[in-house]
């Protein structure tokens, strides 16, 4: 490959990443403006039901670019301390344990509150992640960030997966989400990593709205 071709690719990559960052900043600021009234509405809704705990998930750690952990901001849709005693009780049931060992989630999770079911509709619980975008933890579009140990458990390619900044939505998120296997999930995420472009990002951005409306693949 000639030096001229390498320089051209580098120039295009820099332009793409620069524009992507600009869109990240602009759209996340707009998202945070919408977030402010949502915080008030959700907090009041929980108080009415007698739940006075934080409406945000505490210490929800994910793995970002270059394998660096960060706190993912997200509205709490489950009972308080859902990952402690409530989860331990569920895992005593062989049915729930088998499902958890396979997917690290439940299709019909009894820990989800009534308010939580409402805010999960339309992926409202994901809105606080616009703050992660402004902080630089996330991009609007990229592979979804995984929890610590998840990529190792499912034999994913850490070097490739962590080579880019994770996103709020991505190629996997608009192509089946939870309806796919982990093998297929990684294949979709790797496809995005290998084919990043403004046109692909725009396609994902537009398809995200369809996925939210139809709830296709979401669980």
């Amino acid at each position: 490959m000639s030096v001229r071709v390498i320089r051209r690719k580098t120039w295009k990559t820099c332009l793409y990443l620069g524009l992507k960052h600009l869109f990240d900043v602009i759209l996340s600021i707009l998202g945070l403006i919408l977030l402010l009234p949502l915080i008030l509405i959700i907090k009041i809704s929980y108080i009415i039901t007698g739940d006075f705990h934080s409406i945000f998930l505490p210490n929800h750690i994910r793995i970002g670019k270059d394998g660096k952990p960060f706190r993912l901001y997200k509205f709490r849709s489950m009972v308080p301390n859902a990952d402690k005693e409530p989860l331990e009780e569920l895992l005593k049931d062989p049915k729930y344990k088998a499902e958890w060992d396979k997917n690290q989630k439940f299709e019909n999770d009894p820990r989800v509150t009534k308010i939580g079911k409402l805010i999960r509709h339309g992926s409202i619980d994901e809105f606080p992640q616009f703050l992660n975008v402004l902080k630089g933890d996330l991009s609007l579009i990229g592979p979804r960030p995984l929890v610590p140990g998840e990529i190792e458990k499912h034999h994913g390619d850490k070097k490739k997966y962590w080579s880019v900044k994770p996103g709020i939505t991505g190629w996997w998120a608009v192509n089946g989400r939870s309806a796919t296997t982990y093998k297929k999930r990684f294949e979709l995420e790797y496809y995005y990593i290998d084919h990043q472009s403004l046109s692909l990002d725009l396609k994902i951005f537009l398809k995200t709205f369809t996925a939210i409306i139809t709830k296709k693949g979401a669980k």
Side-chain angles (χ1 to χ4, degrees), residues 9 15 19 25 30 37 42 66 70 167 186 190 198 205-206 210:
K9 285 190 174 183
L15 178 60
L19 289 173
V25 172
L30 294 176
I42 293 173
D66 299 323
F70 68 94
F186 284 138
Y190 298 153
L198 286 176
F205 184 78
L206 295 176
T210 302

Side-chain angles (χ1 to χ4, degrees), residues 20-37:
K20 184 172 184 176
H21 177 69
L22 179 62
F23 288 131
D24 280 350
V25 172
I26 293 174
L27 293 178
S28 60
I29 289 175
L30 294 176
L32 288 174
I33 292 174
L34 294 175
L35 177 64
L36 294 176

Side-chain angles (χ1 to χ4, degrees), residues 41-78:
I41 293 171
I42 293 173
K43 182 63 178 180
I44 293 174
S45 299
Y46 267 122
I47 290 175
I48 290 174
T49 63
D51 186 338
F52 296 92
H53 292 80
S54 172
I55 62 173
F56 297 100
L57 280 179
N59 302 318
H60 194 56
I61 305 300
R62 297 293 180 100
I63 304 299
K65 190 175 184 298
D66 299 323
K68 296 179 180 179
F70 68 94
R71 178 187 175 187
L72 185 77
Y73 297 107
K74 195 172 184 180
F75 283 130
R76 176 172 59 85
S77 59
M78 297 186 183

Side-chain angles (χ1 to χ4, degrees), residues 9-186:
K9 285 190 174 183
T10 302
W11 178 81
K12 287 184 177 181
T13 300
C14 290
L15 178 60
Y16 163 67
L17 293 177
L19 289 173
K20 184 172 184 176
H21 177 69
L22 179 62
F23 288 131
D24 280 350
V25 172
I26 293 174
L27 293 178
S28 60
I29 289 175
L30 294 176
L32 288 174
I33 292 174
L34 294 175
L35 177 64
L36 294 176
L38 282 175
I39 291 175
L40 182 61
I41 293 171
I42 293 173
K43 182 63 178 180
I44 293 174
S45 299
Y46 267 122
I47 290 175
I48 290 174
T49 63
D51 186 338
F52 296 92
H53 292 80
S54 172
I55 62 173
F56 297 100
L57 280 179
N59 302 318
H60 194 56
I61 305 300
R62 297 293 180 100
I63 304 299
K65 190 175 184 298
D66 299 323
K68 296 179 180 179
F70 68 94
R71 178 187 175 187
L72 185 77
Y73 297 107
K74 195 172 184 180
F75 283 130
R76 176 172 59 85
S77 59
M78 297 186 183
V79 297
N81 300 314
D83 291 332
K84 296 181 180 179
E85 289 84 1
L87 177 60
E88 292 172 1
E89 286 299 315
L90 286 174
L91 294 182
K92 292 178 181 179
D93 185 323
K95 180 186 70 173
Y96 282 119
K97 189 176 188 309
E99 186 176 2
W100 181 263
D101 288 343
K102 180 179 179 181
N103 301 314
Q104 282 77 59
K105 63 172 64 176
F106 304 118
E107 182 172 353
N108 296 300
D109 200 323
R111 298 172 298 166
V112 177
T113 66
K114 291 181 179 180
I115 302 300
K117 290 179 181 178
L118 291 175
I119 64 176
R120 283 190 174 193
H121 183 73
S123 299
I124 293 174
D125 57 324
E126 310 284 355
F127 264 69
Q129 290 167 37
F130 285 115
L131 181 57
N132 285 117
V133 176
L134 274 184
K135 288 178 60 182
D137 301 322
L138 294 178
S139 179
L140 288 174
I141 297 171
R144 282 299 290 161
L146 304 176
V147 299
E150 189 173 1
I151 195 167
E152 293 88 352
K153 181 179 178 65
H154 296 280
H155 311 293
D157 186 337
K158 292 190 291 185
K159 184 177 180 180
K160 173 172 283 192
Y161 205 97
W162 294 341
S163 67
V164 300
K165 191 179 293 186
I168 292 179
T169 185
W171 193 234
W172 165 71
V174 298
N175 283 284
R177 294 179 67 185
S178 297
T180 64
T181 63
Y182 257 93
K183 181 180 179 181
K184 182 63 175 178
R185 173 179 181 172
F186 284 138

